[in-house]
């Protein structure tokens, strides 16, 4: 039975004598109840990387080995892989260890990334690792030459290689006065 630092330690072997056990329990509860000493509980212990607090043991005394008493190995299924990586196949029940990213995750390929609107996948990078900035590594802006301007607009001359952006009509098109006869421009 370990107590908080700068306190006292009560580890007195008591045989099966119930009167002695009751006396010791009473003494300890008095000492603990007076606020002089307080048991170090599992909820006060920080588990190491790759481990987690054992559910239901929050109010358990840490004992001599807090890590063994309070913590258990976390599984890969409980780890969130970073951007540009994905869970490895077949390791969901594997212990995370101290380096969960290395044990549980693998680099994702650009071919597995969904590019943002108005961008398109870079075909040549399909087999490349996504890295931590997959939008930049795996995608490129769609060009104005690939955008069909809506009715009443025509392609802006010289903008063919410009990026469509999030507003391709403004970026790529201008009002076409020749098409305004049947349309309000």
């Amino acid at each position: 039975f370990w107590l908080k630092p700068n306190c006292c330690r009560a580890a007195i072997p008591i045989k099966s004598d119930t009167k002695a056990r009751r006396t010791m329990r009473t003494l300890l509860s008095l000492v603990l109840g007076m606020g002089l000493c307080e048991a170090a509980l599992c909820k006060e212990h920080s588990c190491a990387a790759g481990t987690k607090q054992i559910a239901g043991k929050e109010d358990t005394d840490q004992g001599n080995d807090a890590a063994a008493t309070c913590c258990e190995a976390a599984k890969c299924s409980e780890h969130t892989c970073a951007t540009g990586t994905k869970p490895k196949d077949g390791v969901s029940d594997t212990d995370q260890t101290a380096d969960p990213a290395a044990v549980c995750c693998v680099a994702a390929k650009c071919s597995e990334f969904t590019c943002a609107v108005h961008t398109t996948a870079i075909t040549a990078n399909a087999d490349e690792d996504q890295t931590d900035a997959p939008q930049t590594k795996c995608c490129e802006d769609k060009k104005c030459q690939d955008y069909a301007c809506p009715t009443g607009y025509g392609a802006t001359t010289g903008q063919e290689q410009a990026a469509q952006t999030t507003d391709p009509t403004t970026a790529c098109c201008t009002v076409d006065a020749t098409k305004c006869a049947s349309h309000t421009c």
Side-chain angles (χ1 to χ4, degrees), residues 4-18:
K4 283 187 174 176
N6 303 323
C7 201
C8 51
R9 179 176 176 218
I12 302 170
I14 301 173
K15 298 192 180 185
S16 61
D17 181 356
T18 56

Side-chain angles (χ1 to χ4, degrees), residues 74-160:
K75 302 295 181 191
C76 282
S77 60
E78 300 166 295
H79 178 71
T80 301
C81 294
T83 300
T85 65
K86 64 179 183 174
K88 282 183 184 176
D89 290 333
V91 297
S92 61
D93 289 331
T94 302
D95 291 347
Q96 289 183 13
T97 72
D99 189 2
V103 173
C104 305
C105 305
V106 64
K109 300 295 180 192
C110 280
S111 61
E112 300 169 294
F113 183 73
T114 302
C115 294
V117 176
H118 305 299
T119 64
T120 187
I122 301 171
T123 308
N125 289 359
D127 292 328
E128 298 287 324
D129 292 345
Q130 288 183 13
T131 70
D132 59 351
Q135 181 64 38
T136 304
K137 172 82 178 207
C138 306
C139 308
E140 63 186 352
D141 292 327
K142 290 181 181 177
K143 305 295 181 203
C144 284
Q145 69 186 12
D146 300 320
Y147 180 71
C149 294
T151 303
Y153 291 86
T156 303
T157 306
Q159 288 294 94
E160 297 81 5

